[in-house]
């Protein structure tokens, strides 16, 4: 069904917020994330948080990102993910 096409077009990424990241101390709503990118969860000190638009990224957070396939490169650049 339609579930399949969502899985085809989206990827989950796990990204750690590095000290050098532009996202440190920015809230989700103030971050420069592309429109279609969703933050699924923020893991901070082994606690999983459900992100709100006002959630602020902190250094060493691990962020679960849902991204469209065609935006993966952009997302990797923002999070400085080295693959």
């Amino acid at each position: 069904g339609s579930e399949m096409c969502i899985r085809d077009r989206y990827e989950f990424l796990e990204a750690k917020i590095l000290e050098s990241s532009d996202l440190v101390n920015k809230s989700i709503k103030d971050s420069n994330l592309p429109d279609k990118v969703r933050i699924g969860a923020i893991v901070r000190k082994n606690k999983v948080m459900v992100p709100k638009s006002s959630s602020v990224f902190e250094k060493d957070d691990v962020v679960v990102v849902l991204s469209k396939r065609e935006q993966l490169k952009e997302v990797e650049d923002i999070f400085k993910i080295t693959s």
Side-chain angles (χ1 to χ4, degrees):
S2 60
E3 222 175 285
M4 191 61 200
C5 85
I6 289 181
R7 209 172 314 142
D8 280 348
R9 301 200 36 218
Y10 284 86
E11 295 277 342
F12 278 102
L13 289 176
E14 228 173 71
K16 188 170 183 178
I17 304 286
L18 305 174
E19 206 165 356
S20 60
S21 171
D22 298 337
L23 295 173
V24 173
N25 298 329
K26 276 213 175 116
S27 66
I28 292 176
K29 64 173 181 296
D30 292 336
S31 67
N32 54 350
L33 294 171
D35 282 348
K36 297 277 183 290
V37 170
R38 294 282 169 263
I39 304 297
I42 297 174
V43 183
R44 182 174 298 158
K45 298 182 179 67
N46 298 323
K47 285 205 183 73
V48 178
M49 306 179 339
V50 177
K52 303 195 260 309
S53 64
S54 57
S55 300
V56 174
F57 295 111
E58 290 181 13
K59 176 170 97 67
D60 294 333
D61 282 355
V62 174
V63 181
V64 179
V65 185
L66 179 66
S67 168
K68 278 193 153 173
R69 246 187 213 161
E70 54 267 29
Q71 287 176 307
L72 276 181
K73 185 81 197 79
E74 208 177 335
V75 172
E76 287 175 354
D77 289 345
I78 292 169
F79 284 101
K80 315 244 191 307
I81 297 171
T82 47
S83 38

